[in-house]
Amino acid sequence: MSDLDRRARALRALPPSCGPVRLIAVDGHAGSGKSTFAARLSAAVSGTIDGDGVPVLHLDDLASHEELFSWTDRMLAEVIEPLSNGRTAHFHPYDWNLRRFGPPRPLEAAPVVLIEGVGAGRRVLRPYLAGLLWMEREAEESWQRGRNRDGSELSAFWDDWTVAETRHFAADPSRPFADALIRECHEGYEWLPGPAETARPNRFITQGD
């Protein structure tokens, strides 16, 4: 059993936090590797190698050009409210090319659901989270990775984004409340105790780990 498998098993053992759902947030700077990590964690939590993992909600689907961080009401109404009642959520994903929201997409009220994106651990959402994971990569390095990935055609967008992200985390930081810090290594990920790791009775990282 790999380290990621052991961590995934610990997530499945957490008490539900949003109705019957264990909602796990993966937060960090844009370009820090959240999406890749969330995909691997999703497969590990479900216990599959190939095929579908546990549901993952990407916050890029809730944000928009006009509302980079002002998607809280949409999140609460379209995702949190139905999941907390054990119902499948239906959210309207944003098309970044067409600049409009699309038809509803289902999000199952599975035993574990991952939320990944900048601001996933924001203040309003934390009461509904079973756990908060923070990708431990510095802002400037993360942003440069994102710029390299997206190319020069999105340079102006990144200029605006970095300002908006800095303002967001200054007003509503996530890292101080993280249960674990996730550091990408050459082979896999290193899980480190987060600032809030000892604050909850159900700990992510125990002496046994």
Side-chain angles (χ1 to χ4, degrees), residues 11 17-18 20-26 41-42 45 54-58 75 79 83 87 89 107-116 128-131:
L11 296 183
S17 58
C18 183
V21 177
R22 295 155 183 83
L23 209 56
I24 308 296
V26 179
L41 182 60
S42 169
V45 172
V54 302
V56 181
L57 174 64
H58 304 282
M75 176 74 172
V79 177
L83 292 186
R87 296 186 284 106
L107 181 70
E108 180 189 356
V112 177
V113 174
L114 306 181
I115 303 173
E116 75 82 17
Y128 304 98
L129 299 180

Side-chain angles (χ1 to χ4, degrees), residues 25-94:
V26 179
D27 205 338
H29 300 291
S32 61
K34 298 180 300 301
S35 297
T36 300
F37 171 72
R40 294 181 181 178
L41 182 60
S42 169
V45 172
S46 69
T48 63
I49 298 176
D50 299 310
D52 295 332
V54 302
V56 181
L57 174 64
H58 304 282
L59 291 181
D60 285 350
D61 287 335
L62 293 185
S64 68
H65 285 89
E66 292 73 28
E67 297 178 316
L68 294 178
F69 290 99
S70 301
W71 41 259
T72 303
D73 290 344
R74 210 156 37 246
M75 176 74 172
L76 293 174
E78 297 185 1
V79 177
I80 297 298
E81 191 276 332
L83 292 186
S84 66
N85 288 289
R87 296 186 284 106
T88 297
H90 292 85
F91 64 96
H92 294 74
Y94 184 70

Side-chain angles (χ1 to χ4, degrees), residues 134-137 181-185 188-192:
W134 174 267
M135 297 302 295
E136 187 73 340
R137 194 187 298 274
L181 307 178
I182 311 302
R183 182 176 296 162
E184 187 176 0
C185 305
Y189 296 90
E190 181 182 12
W191 292 59
L192 304 172

Side-chain angles (χ1 to χ4, degrees), residues 32 58 74 86 91 95 99 101 148 152 156 161 167 194 199:
S32 61
H58 304 282
R74 210 156 37 246
F91 64 96
D95 189 315
R99 291 176 173 259
F101 289 96
N148 293 342
S152 58
W161 172 269
R167 289 174 177 169

Side-chain angles (χ1 to χ4, degrees), residues 117-163:
V118 182
R122 60 176 24 180
R123 183 182 302 111
V124 173
L125 297 183
R126 285 198 292 272
Y128 304 98
L129 299 180
L132 170 56
L133 310 178
W134 174 267
M135 297 302 295
E136 187 73 340
R137 194 187 298 274
E138 294 296 331
E140 292 295 339
E141 179 186 355
S142 298
W143 295 338
Q144 189 57 53
R145 281 164 48 96
R147 288 178 183 272
N148 293 342
R149 177 194 64 204
D150 293 343
S152 58
E153 62 273 16
L154 291 181
S155 178
F157 173 81
W158 272 97
D159 290 343
D160 293 338
W161 172 269
T162 55
V163 173

